[in-house]
Amino acid sequence: MSKELGRDLTGMDLTGMGMAGMDLSAELADRIAAWLEAPYDGETIAAVKDLIEQGNIAELTDSFYKDLEFGTGGLRGILGVGTNRMNNYTVGKATQGLSNYLRKIYPDEQVKVAISYDSRNQSPEFSRLIASIFVANGFEVYLFEGLRPTPQLSFAIRQLGCHSAVMVTASHNPKEYNGYKAYWKDGGQLVAPHDKGVIECVNEISDPGQVLYDSEQRKGGGKAGKLHLLGKEMDEAYLQAVLALSIRPEIVQKEKDLKIVYSPIHGTGMTLVPQLLERWGFGKVSVVQEQSQPDGDFPTVVYPNPEESEAMTLALEEAVRIDADLVLATDPDADRVGMAIKIGKGTYELLNGNQIGSLLVDYVLSSMAEKELLNPNDYAVKTIVTTDLISDIAARYGIPCPEVLTGFKYIGELMTQQEGKMRFVVGGEESFGYLIGDLVRDKDAVISCAFLAEMAAYHKSRGKNLREALIELYLRHGFYKEQLISLTKKGKKGAEEIQQIMKRLREGNIRDLGGIEVSRINDYLTQVSKDLKSGKESGIKLPKSDVLQFVTADGDVISVRPSGTEPKIKFYCSVRETLSSPAAYDKVEKELASKIDRMMESILR
């Protein structure tokens, strides 16, 4: 039946669809046809048939042209039928592959795993499916009874002594997406060698029939695992551990009437952030009611991402209404936090991820230094595309700030490597992800919200707003200004376009950016750093990654990388100039903005 149907699909008439001349290959047709028979369920088969009857070649192609890749961070994709979509079959395959790897690595141990999920469509259903498969594989399974933030799952792994975990989330992606983030026993996302090992086991699953389910396992008389639900008890353990991190509780008590607006943007932050802020000592926290309920359609925003100014609109309106001091918003799985600061009556400014991170790192380190809490073995961390202002701040307080590849999993990996030798204090990345303390191994917007509020209270007690505090940093270390441009390239064609852009940049012999001389090119894929003037090359010690950096003679940097979680290629620009006085702020800001425009225009062209 499949082969005959495959031949029928291959001959589909595309005339009049705007794609004349295109056709389904025999391979693609066979991949589609395979989903029109058992073991695929009736609802799935009907959905595939519907796409065929519609003649929706673009959707059929993108849904089936490849398998949804289980990458080093897990799965992320559009919800729907097909091998390249998030559905019960791709999630089942991923979970069975992960189970097989865990049984291989821990053959003589009772494997324990944890599962949590966010507010996205089908997240609860996927989490129950994952639990069923883990139980069928004989594991002890800890499933959160309701949606919870990603960082709390990382905390639970360490609390419960789990070997692995899964978070069902697509983070800040558009509503059409969902995802599957796999974690290891240290509480961090999968890294080498386990990432590759799990990928190999996932790729060995070639048929849905290879996936075990709880009911089938019991029928076969196999050893089933146990399922435990996590709820208030784990919430309390996490909250108590976080509350102990506060550095200046006396300042919070003094400024307890700080007005804070918070939005969970229809996500998991609502489960913990408001009560943490209240227990931290803040008595005037106003939640954006229109965004307080979990909703996978994210009806009030275009993208549920606090990096996007549009997603902060309702929170800013509430801030103006109540004359708030601070605005905070978290993404659906509450690992990223956006912030707006009050700079005048009814006037607020949205800060970018580098500015938030710089203020946060400075607050933590300066407060710990003042209270003599810093140790000789303390360290901070940032990623290679995050502002060097954070490195300058760390140096001021005499602690190292190593760089890692983009992605918080690399910060978590470094924390695990240094455990027992050095103490992680604070770190982050430009994409609105930060961590204070070592309770978890992932970015934590719950902890970050509490510290950002404490930071705002501290500066208010000094008679300063956060914009003035930021200018103080610029006066001390130099005015750093950054900009990110993302180009979205969807589908198979988009992925090919991104590869071509990276190829052209590598082969382009770029010597200047907007009239500014390029002095060095760092290629993290070849792990070579080349001085363009001398021609000398040196090695890059970080793991291979598809990232290019162009460093100018002025010390400015443009970094280019394909996103690992979205169909985008990202261009990061960072420039710096001395700031002599607060009065010169506007003038220097315009000069730096103009410089960024020239450099970005040059590399994009």
Side-chain angles (χ1 to χ4, degrees):
M1 178 180 171
S2 292
K3 288 183 179 179
E4 291 176 3
L5 193 48
R7 284 194 292 271
D8 290 343
L9 290 170
T10 306
M12 286 180 73
D13 181 13
L14 300 169
T15 306
M17 295 179 63
M19 298 177 285
M22 289 182 60
D23 204 358
L24 292 173
S25 67
E27 180 186 356
L28 179 57
D30 285 341
R31 288 173 70 90
I32 296 169
W35 280 59
L36 293 167
E37 302 180 319
Y40 296 96
D41 64 271
E43 187 177 344
T44 295
I45 292 170
V48 177
K49 283 182 177 178
D50 189 46
L51 289 176
I52 296 168
E53 289 167 4
Q54 292 173 22
N56 195 337
I57 304 303
E59 180 64 20
L60 282 167
T61 300
D62 198 49
S63 297
F64 286 94
Y65 83 96
K66 67 172 185 175
D67 289 347
L68 184 62
E69 182 181 355
F70 191 99
T72 55
L75 296 174
R76 192 171 297 189
I78 295 170
L79 290 162
V81 294
T83 58
N84 189 35
R85 293 288 185 259
M86 281 289 294
N87 51 61
N88 287 343
Y89 299 100
T90 53
V91 169
K93 174 181 176 179
T95 306
Q96 188 60 53
L98 175 57
S99 299
N100 291 348
Y101 184 74
L102 287 166
R103 291 206 308 263
K104 177 181 175 183
I105 298 299
Y106 302 109
D108 302 318
E109 295 185 36
Q110 172 59 61
V111 174
K112 295 162 60 174
V113 293
I115 306 165
S116 187
Y117 60 92
D118 69 5
S119 58
R120 287 183 176 271
N121 293 325
Q122 293 184 235
S123 283
E125 293 83 357
F126 285 150
S127 69
R128 290 192 291 269
L129 173 70
I130 294 163
S132 173
I133 295 169
F134 280 147
V135 167
N137 279 275
F139 299 166
E140 199 157 348
V141 182
Y142 296 88
L143 172 66
F144 276 93
E145 63 184 10
L147 74 171
R148 290 297 192 280
T150 288
Q152 191 183 6
L153 177 68
S154 177
F155 174 82
I157 295 167
R158 297 169 63 78
Q159 280 286 107
L160 298 168
C162 291
H163 298 80
S164 182
V166 172
M167 179 73 193
V168 181
T169 178
S171 188
H172 57 290
N173 279 57
K175 65 182 180 181
E176 295 82 10
Y177 284 76
N178 210 329
Y180 180 112
K181 287 167 68 171
Y183 287 79
W184 203 243
K185 65 188 299 182
D186 64 343
Q189 293 182 52
L190 292 179
V191 293
H194 302 301
D195 53 357
K196 297 294 192 294
V198 172
I199 289 169
E200 288 175 5
C201 285
V202 171
N203 290 339
E204 288 170 1
I205 307 295
S206 58
D207 187 282
Q210 295 174 265
V211 180
L212 300 178
Y213 297 96
D214 186 20
S215 58
E216 294 176 11
Q217 181 74 359
R218 286 175 177 163
K219 282 180 194 172
K223 179 187 176 184
K226 293 180 180 178
L227 178 64
H228 311 271
L229 294 180
L230 299 176
K232 298 292 184 184
E233 192 173 321
M234 185 57 68
D235 292 346
E236 190 60 27
Y238 173 72
L239 290 169
Q240 287 292 342
V242 174
L243 285 165
L245 297 175
S246 177
I247 304 173
R248 295 183 182 271
E250 72 284 357
I251 292 294
V252 175
Q253 180 61 31
K254 180 183 176 183
E255 300 291 344
K256 62 184 178 182
D257 290 333
L258 186 85
K259 291 182 181 179
I260 303 169
V261 167
Y262 169 69
S263 172
I265 314 182
H266 305 289
T268 60
M270 191 63 193
T271 62
L272 293 176
V273 173
Q275 62 172 309
L276 175 62
L277 289 172
E278 182 180 349
R279 291 170 69 169
W280 204 270
F282 295 105
K284 294 189 175 180
V285 179
S286 178
V287 175
V288 179
Q289 290 304 311
E290 300 96 320
Q291 297 177 327
S292 64
Q293 293 302 310
D295 191 330
D297 289 328
F298 309 111
T300 64
V301 296
V302 178
Y303 297 107
N305 183 0
E307 295 180 71
E308 303 285 344
S309 58
E310 178 272 335
M312 303 286 285
T313 301
L314 290 177
L316 288 169
E317 289 175 359
E318 177 68 7
V320 172
R321 189 184 70 80
I322 69 168
D323 191 32
D325 298 289
L326 183 67
V327 180
L328 300 169
T330 53
D331 68 342
D333 67 324
D335 62 356
R336 298 172 190 243
V337 57
M339 182 171 77
I341 57 175
K342 183 181 179 182
I343 57 175
K345 179 69 174 177
T347 309
Y348 295 84
E349 180 180 343
L350 288 167
L351 299 188
N352 65 39
N354 286 304
Q355 292 170 319
I356 298 169
S358 298
L359 281 167
L360 188 57
V361 169
D362 181 73
Y363 171 70
V364 170
L365 295 183
S366 64
S367 298
M368 292 183 71
E370 184 181 317
K371 295 204 167 194
E372 299 183 346
L373 298 174
L374 281 179
N375 298 323
N377 64 338
D378 289 343
Y379 69 100
V381 191
K382 76 178 195 71
T383 68
I384 58 174
V385 298
T386 301
T387 181
D388 286 333
L389 177 54
I390 288 176
S391 300
D392 293 348
I393 293 167
R396 173 181 169 82
Y397 296 102
I399 70 169
C401 185
E403 287 190 332
V404 296
L405 292 175
T406 309
F408 216 92
K409 66 180 181 179
Y410 295 111
I411 294 179
E413 179 184 31
L414 181 63
M415 291 172 68
T416 297
Q417 291 169 349
Q418 295 300 325
E419 195 164 17
K421 295 178 279 187
M422 296 185 72
R423 182 177 70 160
F424 172 85
V425 177
V426 63
E429 54 186 2
E430 54 74 39
S431 55
F432 291 65
Y434 319 102
L435 178 63
I436 303 93
D438 63 355
L439 295 177
V440 304
R441 291 289 184 273
D442 209 341
K443 50 187 176 285
D444 191 326
V446 182
I447 292 175
S448 298
C449 280
F451 269 92
L452 291 171
E454 182 175 302
M455 176 183 77
Y458 168 71
H459 288 297
K460 187 177 182 182
S461 74
R462 297 172 59 231
K464 303 281 186 181
N465 64 36
L466 289 176
R467 190 170 195 257
E468 292 167 328
L470 189 62
I471 290 173
E472 285 181 348
L473 287 182
Y474 293 155
L475 289 168
R476 187 180 301 140
H477 301 288
F479 192 155
Y480 282 85
K481 186 172 179 63
E482 288 85 21
Q483 183 179 357
L484 166 66
I485 292 178
S486 296
L487 302 182
T488 300
K489 304 285 184 180
K490 293 183 178 181
K492 180 175 183 288
K493 182 181 178 183
E496 293 168 350
E497 287 179 11
I498 288 173
Q499 290 178 0
Q500 285 301 311
I501 290 171
M502 294 301 294
K503 184 173 185 290
R504 287 198 299 270
L505 289 173
R506 283 193 167 89
E507 298 173 353
N509 194 30
I510 295 173
R511 296 283 171 165
D512 76 87
L513 293 168
I516 304 164
E517 179 189 359
V518 174
S519 61
R520 178 174 294 277
I521 297 178
N522 300 321
D523 190 337
Y524 290 83
L525 192 61
T526 61
Q527 297 177 301
V528 171
S529 176
K530 183 175 183 179
D531 185 308
L532 298 188
K533 188 165 285 188
S534 67
K536 290 184 178 179
E537 295 182 348
S538 56
I540 295 173
K541 295 183 179 179
L542 294 176
K544 286 185 178 183
S545 183
D546 193 6
V547 182
L548 276 172
Q549 279 187 336
F550 301 89
V551 184
T552 73
D554 293 347
D556 305 317
V557 183
I558 284 187
S559 304
V560 189
R561 59 177 283 269
S563 171
T565 58
E566 300 171 277
K568 294 180 178 180
I569 182 168
K570 297 186 173 185
F571 297 80
Y572 308 77
C573 186
S574 177
V575 296
R576 178 187 177 277
E577 186 57 78
T578 299
L579 182 65
S580 58
S581 70
Y585 178 89
D586 289 340
K587 177 176 178 291
V588 176
E589 197 276 336
K590 288 179 181 176
E591 290 172 353
L592 292 175
S594 176
K595 189 175 190 180
I596 287 175
D597 287 345
R598 295 198 310 274
M599 292 173 66
M600 284 294 212
E601 182 184 356
S602 176
I603 198 162
L604 289 169
R605 186 175 62 240

